Every structure is written in structure tokens, then in C-alpha cells.
């Protein structure tokens, strides 16, 4: 708008001595209809790049249709998403069904497992060892051999408990144990 007001000021100074442009530029309240038309004409000339105020220069036009797409994009989409090619793929690929047993393969007893949604009391390592926190004790169960090992027991306050266990992602030899007191311990299960 500053460019248009500047152009109007220079245009208005040539035509009417710059009075209308000064009123527009300084926020004056006395503007005649002729001055508004001159301002709109100068503004349109600066924005559209033409000096005529014809209606042929429109920013949006809803009378013309959109141009046709280049190439054969419509037919390419039909080939990609046609139902015939999908049916052909379904016929050639065999559906694989797997059997899900209705009975558990193994049951582990966990008598002191705390029933709290916000606790993370189970963690399975990439070396196939399950860490389980039962009240104040952490147990390790080896799924391959079925061996159970007690890792640690926390003593102290009677209301204290283990709030989380988590294996370190790679290697499966380190276990992080968090307590309700806010402490975190890192255990090496191989030692």
C-alpha cells in the first residue's frame, strides 16, 4: 500500500497538486469521489501492471474450465487402481492362516504383582528373558530353559515397591529398575 500511496502521491501531485494523495497518505477524512476513483485507478495500475481499469484483468475467473491434464494421467490412475489387477493379485496370492491356540502354553505364577495401571512390572529382553517385579523383588525367567532367578530385593519402608523394570534395548544384559521412592538402579544380570 505504501507503493500505491506513493504512486498516487506522485500521480496526484501532477494532476491535482497532491491534495488528495496527502489526505489518503496522512489518513485525512476529506476525500472526494473523484479522488477515490483516481486512487483506485492508480492502485490497480500498480498491482496489476496495467493503466486501464478494464474488467479483463481479473485475479480469479470462474467462467473458464480448468485446463486438460498433460499426458495420459487419467488413464494411468485407472491402471494403478483398477479392480481387475487387484482381483488378479488376490487369486495368485494364497491366504496364509495361522493357528492360535485356545489354551495357554505356559502359566507363570505372580502372587505379589501389583494391580496398578501406571506401573511397568514386566519387560521382555531380546535374549528371551522376562523380568518381573513382584512387590519388592525382581525375578528373571529364562524362556528357553525355564529357569527362574531372583535378581534383587529392596528392603526399607514397608510401603515401598518396585514401580518399573525395563531392559536396555541392545544386548539384553542390563536391566533398569525404578522404585516408588524415585530411585533408579541399573543391574547387570550376567554378574
Amino acid at each position: 500500500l505504501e507503493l500505491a500511496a506513493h504512486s498516487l502521491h506522485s500521480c496526484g501531485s501532477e494532476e491535482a497538486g497532491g491534495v488528495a494523495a496527502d489526505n489518503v497518505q496522512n489518513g485525512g477524512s476529506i476525500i472526494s469521489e473523484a479522488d477515490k476513483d483516481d486512487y483506485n485507478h492508480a492502485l490497480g495500475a500498480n498491482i496489476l501492471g496495467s493503466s486501464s481499469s478494464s474488467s479483463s484483468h481479473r485475479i480469479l475467473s470462474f467462467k473458464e474450465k480448468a485446463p486438460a491434464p498433460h499426458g495420459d494421467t487419467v488413464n494411468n490412475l485407472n491402471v494403478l487402481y483398477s479392480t481387475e489387477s487387484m482381483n488378479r493379485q488376490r487369486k495368485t496370492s494364497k491366504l496364509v492362516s495361522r493357528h492360535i491356540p485356545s489354551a495357554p502354553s505356559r502359566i507363570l505364577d505372580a502372587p505379589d504383582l501389583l494391580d496398578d495401571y501406571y506401573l511397568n512390572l514386566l519387560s521382555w529382553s531380546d535374549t528371551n528373558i522376562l523380568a518381573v517385579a513382584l512387590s519388592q523383588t525382581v525375578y528373571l525367567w529364562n524362556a528357553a530353559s525355564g529357569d527362574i532367578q531372583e535378581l534383587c530385593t529392596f528392603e526399607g519402608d514397608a510401603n515401598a515397591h518396585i514401580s518399573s523394570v525395563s531392559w536396555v534395548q541392545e544386548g539384553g544384559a542390563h536391566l533398569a529398575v525404578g522404585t516408588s521412592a524415585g530411585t533408579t538402579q541399573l543391574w547387570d544380570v550376567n554378574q
Side-chain angles (χ1 to χ4, degrees):
L1 287 177
E2 289 178 20
L3 177 64
H6 175 69
S7 297
L8 183 61
H9 176 31
S10 61
C11 177
S13 64
E14 294 171 1
E15 295 173 3
V19 175
D22 289 337
N23 283 337
V24 171
Q25 202 171 24
N26 296 330
S29 60
I30 304 173
I31 299 176
S32 67
E33 289 297 321
D35 292 337
K36 286 182 184 179
D37 291 339
D38 289 340
Y39 177 73
N40 288 336
H41 177 69
L43 185 63
N46 283 327
I47 291 176
L48 297 175
S50 66
S51 60
S52 66
S53 61
S54 66
S55 63
S56 65
H57 297 288
R58 293 185 181 176
I59 296 174
L60 295 175
S61 176
F62 298 106
K63 293 182 180 180
E64 297 178 17
K65 291 186 176 183
H70 299 290
D72 197 17
T73 57
V74 176
N75 290 335
N76 287 339
L77 291 177
N78 286 339
V79 170
L80 286 176
Y81 297 108
S82 68
T83 56
E84 294 174 10
S85 64
M86 300 282 276
N87 289 336
R88 240 183 288 129
Q89 287 177 353
R90 286 185 189 148
K91 290 178 183 176
T92 58
S93 64
K94 184 180 178 184
L95 292 177
V96 178
S97 63
R98 63 179 192 162
H99 175 69
I100 299 174
S102 59
S105 60
R106 188 166 317 239
I107 297 174
L108 299 175
D109 189 24
D112 292 332
L113 189 69
L114 297 176
D115 186 16
D116 189 350
Y117 176 77
Y118 297 102
L119 300 180
N120 297 314
L121 303 177
L122 295 171
S123 182
W124 202 294
S125 76
D126 58 355
T127 58
N128 211 15
I129 297 176
L130 179 69
V132 181
L134 301 176
S135 187
Q136 296 180 340
T137 307
V138 177
Y139 293 96
L140 302 177
W141 177 68
N142 190 335
S145 64
D147 295 335
I148 298 173
Q149 172 189 358
E150 182 179 325
L151 180 66
C152 60
T153 300
F154 292 100
E155 306 211 2
D157 187 15
N159 293 330
H161 60 274
I162 296 172
S163 59
S164 63
V165 292
S166 180
W167 290 97
V168 174
Q169 292 297 318
E170 296 182 16
H174 296 90
L175 181 71
V177 178
T179 65
S180 61
T183 60
T184 303
Q185 298 180 358
L186 190 61
W187 287 81
D188 185 0
V189 297
N190 293 334
Q191 293 182 353

